Amino acid sequence: MTALLRISGLTAHYGDFQALFGVDLTLNEGETVAIIGANGAGKTTLMRAITGVAKVTAGSVSLADENLTRLPAPQILTRGIAMVPEGRKLFPSLTVEENLLIGAHARSGNGYWTLDRVQAMFPILRERRQSPGTALSGGQQQMVAIGRALMSNPRVLLCDELSLGLAPVVIKEIYAAFPQIKASGTSIIVVEQDIGQALRVADHVHCMMEGRITLSGRPADLSRDAIHDAYFGVTHA
């Protein structure tokens, strides 16, 4: 497989606090990579560093061999990395359709994802297109956030805590969209606290703890005990 996104030795700080310690990660074309870990493990910081929101103090982020490390967040978006943020962060003053169309402003040229295709994937967004974005249920808002990111036709879609606070039936519906997203030519990194969900959708899994990757591998090759130990920082004498 061809490496699409390559993260090498990534270190990030919030002021004097170091949040990431030399993280290495590769996302290949057509893959889904899952990042798991407890609260405070550094998962969201890693997503923010990739997108240029968190300050990178060492290491690099490259997309298709182009170094994006020092670019501002808007330029990283136009290069082809879009994020579905934790908490959705929709614009409350805009309708569902307007929230979706905001994502198209970062589009460079034509691509697979259009308003019609996003609404076909999540039909409720067509039904509720004139409703305020924040008037929807949590799951429907998550669909808007995913659709908004896809409207930029990204090569890489970063999804931060998609299932947080949602009912299992809604989570299943959201993750059922992944095959179509990947078929459109978009590769995915998903941050999840739900280990079972992460293992079901991912080609590769990375576990983080205290700003470091503590375990990596294909889901079929990782034992429950190994995942548990990496997740909770268990060491054996």
Side-chain angles (χ1 to χ4, degrees), residues 201-212:
V201 301
D203 299 293
H204 285 85
V205 176
H206 302 276
C207 184
M208 292 189 70
M209 184 178 181
E210 296 180 348
R212 296 177 172 86

Side-chain angles (χ1 to χ4, degrees), residues 119-187:
Q119 291 174 334
M121 184 169 67
F122 296 128
I124 189 64
L125 302 189
R126 192 187 305 276
E127 295 175 28
R128 302 293 304 277
R129 64 186 181 277
Q130 296 304 320
S131 300
T134 51
L136 276 59
S137 69
Q140 291 165 359
Q141 288 185 41
Q142 192 67 280
M143 293 173 190
V144 177
I146 293 169
R148 180 181 60 189
L150 289 174
M151 287 289 287
S152 69
N153 278 288
R155 299 185 69 181
V156 176
L157 182 68
L158 308 179
C159 301
D160 195 3
E161 302 285 11
L162 287 185
S163 64
L164 194 63
L166 302 182
V169 64
V170 179
I171 295 169
K172 184 177 180 181
E173 184 177 0
I174 287 171
Y175 273 101
F178 271 36
Q180 183 178 349
I181 294 171
K182 290 173 68 175
S184 75
T186 299
S187 303

